[in-house]
Amino acid sequence: QKEVEQNSGPLSVPEGAIASLNCTYSDRGSQSFFWYRQYSGKSPELIMSIYSNGDKEDGRFTAQLNKASQYVSLLIRDSQPSDSATYLCAVKGFASYDKVIFGPGTSLSVIP
Amino acid sequence: GAVVSQHPSWVICKSGTSVKIECRSLDFQATTMFWYRQFPKQSLMLMATSNEGSKATYEQGVEKDKFLINHASLTLSTLTVTSAHPEDSSFYICSARDPLQGAGNQPQHFGDGTRLSIL
């Protein structure tokens, strides 16, 4: 069974700090990796997609992928209270019929 | 781009009522859409994969006669919760992928979700 694991948290960081969110996955054939943010009572919204090993930066967000270690992370620099949400890691194989497997999410709280 | 619209946002109805939820891809054609359910403080649970022009594929444990899915066009999928009961109260979310964003690896985009409360 393909699995995606995340620490459930809550992860608390002070405003302005770097928040580090981690995710591991079991399927070595996974090719596509996504981070979603979900505010309480809302649906998930896509933050980042990453497909190759290494870092990918978009504004305050950096996704890091290490396929050999089956590990993907999300760094949020200069964390703001508005970043407080649950962050979902999602993983998918290459084939179009492969399902996206979501992790349970990590709850992040940014303290002013 | 890749906007998914879901309607209604909220439904409150009596036990025994059937409820229809619509999911539309607004700026792309989606041959496949996905229906999820999420209980408070729990993770997303995939219920079924909706396929345009064919039968939906249901996940294990999801009653296909209870949760009817119709995907009659490339931009619309509907989920009907039949004879809903209080235990069906949940947050239902649809999603879709834009096939033009890259074969096999495009991300899913979510609708805003429908909060269903059965009294």
Side-chain angles (χ1 to χ4, degrees):
Chain A
Q1 177 134 354
K2 299 176 184 178
E3 293 183 344
V4 176
E5 295 185 350
Q6 299 178 252
N7 290 328
S8 61
L11 173 66
S12 294
V13 300
E15 183 174 357
I18 296 175
S20 178
L21 304 162
N22 304 318
C23 172
T24 58
Y25 58 95
S26 62
D27 182 15
R28 284 195 170 275
S30 300
Q31 295 291 326
S32 306
F33 306 87
F34 311 102
W35 282 100
Y36 289 84
R37 177 176 62 198
Q38 186 176 24
Y39 291 114
S40 180
K42 302 293 185 182
S43 67
E45 58 178 317
L46 180 69
I47 299 176
M48 296 277 287
S49 305
I50 186 167
Y51 306 99
S52 305
N53 280 328
D55 295 359
K56 179 181 178 182
E57 187 175 316
D58 184 359
R60 295 187 296 112
F61 298 99
T62 299
Q64 299 175 317
L65 175 61
N66 184 326
K67 290 184 180 180
S69 300
Q70 295 174 240
Y71 174 90
V72 58
S73 66
L74 179 70
L75 300 178
I76 306 175
R77 291 182 299 282
D78 188 24
S79 294
Q80 301 297 310
S82 58
D83 295 325
S84 298
T86 296
Y87 289 80
L88 304 173
C89 172
V91 174
K92 183 183 176 300
F94 181 75
S96 59
Y97 53 78
D98 283 330
K99 297 174 188 174
V100 174
I101 309 297
F102 285 86
T106 297
S107 175
L108 171 66
S109 179
V110 180
I111 311 300
Chain B
V3 177
V4 177
S5 172
Q6 190 172 340
H7 178 81
S9 302
W10 285 83
V11 179
I12 302 174
C13 58
K14 294 181 180 180
S15 185
T17 305
S18 291
V19 178
K20 180 186 282 188
I21 303 170
E22 292 186 349
C23 181
R24 294 181 185 273
S25 56
L26 296 186
D27 52 357
F28 66 99
Q29 293 182 330
T31 54
T32 305
M33 293 184 175
F34 305 90
W35 288 97
Y36 293 84
R37 180 167 56 181
Q38 188 176 38
F39 292 106
K41 302 207 181 290
Q42 294 190 22
S43 184
L44 291 172
M45 187 196 83
L46 178 65
M47 299 176 66
T49 301
S50 171
N51 303 298
E52 188 270 335
S54 65
K55 292 182 179 180
T57 304
Y58 290 82
E59 295 301 301
Q60 191 172 8
V62 178
E63 301 175 58
K64 58 183 67 177
D65 294 331
K66 172 77 172 178
F67 300 99
L68 301 179
I69 291 174
N70 184 281
H71 195 152
S73 77
L74 288 171
T75 60
L76 174 64
S77 174
T78 61
L79 168 67
T80 301
V81 183
T82 62
S83 187
H85 292 284
E87 58 266 29
D88 298 321
S89 299
S90 189
F91 190 42
Y92 291 85
I93 317 172
C94 72
S95 73
R97 291 198 294 255
D98 182 352
L100 297 182
Q101 284 189 342
N105 59 6
Q106 60 274 41
Q108 287 180 205
H109 299 274
F110 288 87
D112 287 339
T114 297
R115 193 160 302 283
L116 177 62
S117 295
I118 308 299
L119 305 177

